[in-house]
Amino acid sequence: MTLPAKSKPTLPSQKNILIGCGIGGAAAVIILVITMAFPGSTTTSDYSILVDPTKEKQSLFLLARVTVQNTGSQSLTNITIDYGDGDKDFIPTLKPGKTIILSPPEENSLQFVRVTADGGIDVYKAYREPIAMPGMMGS
């Protein structure tokens, strides 16, 4: 009488496990990158603002500007732009999606900008200097 032979259990090899982990990790990274690059529109808040103060050194002068954009879903009211050195601008209302570009006074030291508005808006930013591109004015 012969005993029936036992079949070997089929265990995945280490190579297949590593390949599966690699594919799963790559998929997770791709999902993370897509989520960060294209955030959903449901994440916007009612009161939000973008402030971008820049100063560019030209050969004969200094060009400074402050871009203010309402990135929220509600109008911003009572916006105060403080350029420092006691220089300020006031904007009564800025509708959603609208952008304004302001110029600080010529004698300003151009160190920072502080923008406040109703709705809890309080942004403090230092001026940044864009990278000079070859062939562009001032480079």
Side-chain angles (χ1 to χ4, degrees):
M1 171 175 217
T2 59
L3 295 171
K6 284 186 177 180
S7 62
K8 285 187 175 180
T10 55
L11 295 175
S13 68
Q14 288 181 348
K15 184 177 179 182
N16 290 340
I17 291 172
L18 288 175
I19 290 173
C21 289
I23 291 172
V29 168
I30 290 171
I31 290 171
L32 179 66
V33 168
I34 289 173
T35 303
M36 292 176 70
F38 305 104
S41 61
T42 57
T43 60
T44 60
S45 66
D46 290 339
Y47 301 102
S48 178
I49 195 168
L50 174 120
V51 178
D52 185 24
T54 59
K55 60 182 176 181
E56 298 177 48
K57 294 179 183 174
Q58 304 295 324
S59 56
L60 299 175
F61 58 91
L62 183 69
L63 177 65
R65 62 186 167 270
V66 177
T67 304
V68 178
Q69 180 182 16
N70 183 350
T71 56
S73 61
Q74 299 292 322
S75 290
L76 292 174
T77 56
N78 300 320
I79 304 166
T80 302
I81 297 93
D82 182 354
Y83 302 107
D85 301 338
D87 299 319
K88 293 183 181 183
D89 274 331
F90 178 76
I91 301 163
T93 304
L94 186 61
K95 293 182 181 182
K98 297 295 179 183
T99 302
I100 57 170
I101 299 173
L102 304 162
S103 295
E106 286 186 30
E107 65 277 357
N108 191 276
S109 63
L110 303 177
Q111 297 300 312
F112 71 91
V113 173
R114 183 176 183 186
V115 178
T116 58
D118 293 343
I121 300 294
D122 190 355
V123 177
Y124 182 88
K125 280 200 167 180
Y127 281 85
R128 69 178 180 88
E129 293 187 41
I131 298 171
M133 300 295 288
M136 299 298 288
M137 190 168 109
S139 57

